[in-house]
Amino acid sequence: MSKKNHSKSKKQTRQEKVDEAFELIEEGIQTIAASTKQYQNFLKFSSKHYQYSLRNQVLIFQQMPNARFVAGFNTWKKHDRHVKKGEKGIKIIARGSKVKEVENENGEKELQESYYYFVTHVFDISQTEGEDVPSFSDLIKTIKGETELYEKVKSVCSFPVYEKADSNGADGYFDLKNKLIVIQRKNPSNHKLLTLIHEWGHGILHNDLEKRKELSRQQRELEAESVGFTVCHVLGIDTSQNSFGYLASFGQSKTIELIKQSEERIQMAVKEILSKIDEELQEDNEGYEVSA
């Protein structure tokens, strides 16, 4: 086989792998959206892997639903861990780029960048052995002082937060006009925390009046409650009884339809909120107990 044909064959093989990965993503989304329970399981899973794109979260979930913390082969080596012999990598999709010199319409030479997708592999921590990884334990926290946590999250929220005795008959709300969050003062702190993150989700995703009109109330609420559940799960607070009873009230077929429309938006908001909270918790870990 000539070098040119070999290159073409290799490229086709890579494309076939990418196509296969995208098929896995589609199957995964169908599985996740098939029931409220599956969606709940995926949100719990994605809360541990929010640094990955939604597509790659679905890919990892499809191949290893119990994955705890994944990284590439070389990343594990940097942490003095190595992949156990015989372990099979978890496929994810990565984007590459290449630059070539082209001639523009004026006959001038310029650089043009193009992008392509390829399949690479990561490994879960359970597939590796070696030195302990301190950063892994920081991902999941069991909170001793709920009120303290609520105050910490409130302090890093992107919007001003006010507690009131009267919150218009609700647990809280996002004030679209003034761009602030109101929380019902009398509720327990863990419930206030869920409400705060729920309304923060509204603030990130639904703060533009014109764009807000494009979404139904059910879709806005599904997005905000999914954000609330996912972030609270990372913080060690189980809100599933509250959150998923609420989501199930929409009806299964409606919930599935809304999930498909909203997944990427939910992930974007979760990543933004967790990044803010992580910064605060890394600065002051005193009073927190870490669970494995």
Side-chain angles (χ1 to χ4, degrees):
M1 182 184 290
S2 70
K3 187 175 180 182
K4 185 176 179 181
N5 287 339
H6 177 73
S7 175
K8 185 177 179 182
S9 173
K10 188 175 181 181
K11 186 175 180 180
Q12 286 173 333
T13 302
R14 183 178 70 193
Q15 187 57 50
E16 287 169 3
K17 289 179 179 178
V18 170
D19 291 343
E20 180 183 61
F22 276 106
E23 285 175 15
L24 269 175
I25 291 168
E26 182 60 32
E27 289 173 13
I29 290 172
Q30 294 288 343
T31 301
I32 291 160
S35 72
T36 304
K37 181 66 176 175
Q38 277 292 88
Y39 184 50
Q40 176 183 351
N41 290 340
F42 177 70
L43 287 182
K44 285 182 177 180
F45 177 88
S46 70
S47 71
K48 303 172 190 174
H49 303 93
Y50 69 89
Q51 71 273 32
Y52 287 91
S53 69
L54 174 64
R55 284 174 174 173
N56 281 330
Q57 286 180 18
V58 173
L59 267 176
I60 297 165
F61 184 68
Q62 275 287 85
Q63 297 165 83
M64 187 177 282
N66 296 321
R68 292 185 294 149
F69 182 58
V70 301
F73 185 87
N74 290 328
T75 301
W76 285 125
K77 282 180 69 177
K78 289 176 186 175
H79 289 288
D80 295 320
R81 294 184 70 87
H82 61 270
V83 176
K84 298 173 188 174
K85 188 176 180 180
E87 290 290 347
K88 186 178 178 183
I90 303 165
K91 295 176 187 174
I92 62 170
I93 294 174
R95 190 175 81 158
S97 65
K98 54 186 177 182
V99 178
K100 64 178 180 179
E101 192 175 66
V102 297
E103 195 173 282
N104 64 24
E105 56 188 17
N106 298 321
E108 300 167 335
K109 298 212 181 263
E110 61 181 30
L111 296 178
Q112 184 181 78
E113 188 173 20
S114 59
Y115 299 94
Y116 60 92
Y117 291 102
F118 63 96
V119 172
T120 186
H121 295 84
V122 292
F123 298 86
D124 182 53
I125 192 170
S126 64
Q127 298 176 286
T128 68
E129 54 191 6
E131 294 297 316
D132 290 339
V133 183
S135 59
F136 167 67
S137 62
D138 292 335
L139 291 175
I140 303 176
K141 303 173 179 70
T142 301
I143 309 305
K144 285 181 176 177
E146 292 176 0
T147 303
E148 183 185 351
L149 177 66
Y150 167 66
E151 293 297 333
K152 283 182 177 290
V153 173
K154 188 167 73 167
S155 72
V156 298
C157 183
S158 305
F159 304 95
V161 181
Y162 298 93
E163 290 191 21
K164 293 185 178 181
D166 180 13
S167 53
N168 296 340
D171 291 328
Y173 61 87
F174 178 74
D175 185 327
L176 187 61
K177 180 180 178 182
N178 297 304
K179 300 291 189 290
L180 58 84
I181 293 170
V182 174
I183 303 290
Q184 170 56 255
R185 184 181 296 143
K186 70 177 182 181
N187 284 334
S189 58
N190 61 346
H191 197 86
K192 286 196 287 189
L193 179 62
L194 171 60
T195 303
L196 170 57
I197 297 169
H198 175 111
E199 300 306 335
W200 191 351
H202 276 309
I204 293 170
L205 299 172
H206 314 130
N207 63 17
D208 184 296
L209 185 58
E210 291 306 312
K211 290 182 180 178
R212 182 185 176 96
K213 290 176 181 176
E214 297 172 6
L215 303 174
S216 68
R217 180 182 176 278
Q218 284 183 326
Q219 189 165 358
R220 295 197 305 269
E221 291 305 317
L222 176 134
E223 290 179 351
E225 194 65 16
S226 296
V227 169
F229 171 83
T230 306
V231 174
C232 282
H233 181 73
V234 172
L235 299 173
I237 296 174
D238 181 11
T239 67
S240 56
Q241 188 173 0
N242 180 293
S243 297
F244 287 92
Y246 183 65
L247 296 179
S249 69
F250 296 160
Q252 183 172 324
S253 61
K254 185 66 176 176
T255 301
I256 290 171
E257 178 189 336
L258 296 176
I259 289 168
K260 289 179 179 178
Q261 294 170 12
S262 298
E263 281 175 316
E264 290 193 8
R265 292 166 51 77
I266 293 165
Q267 295 296 327
M268 181 270 288
V270 166
K271 187 171 184 177
E272 181 175 330
I273 293 171
L274 284 176
S275 295
K276 283 247 183 187
I277 294 173
D278 281 349
E279 287 175 15
E280 172 68 15
L281 297 186
Q282 283 168 12
E283 287 177 8
D284 180 13
N285 271 328
E286 195 173 352
Y288 293 90
E289 182 180 285
V290 177
S291 65

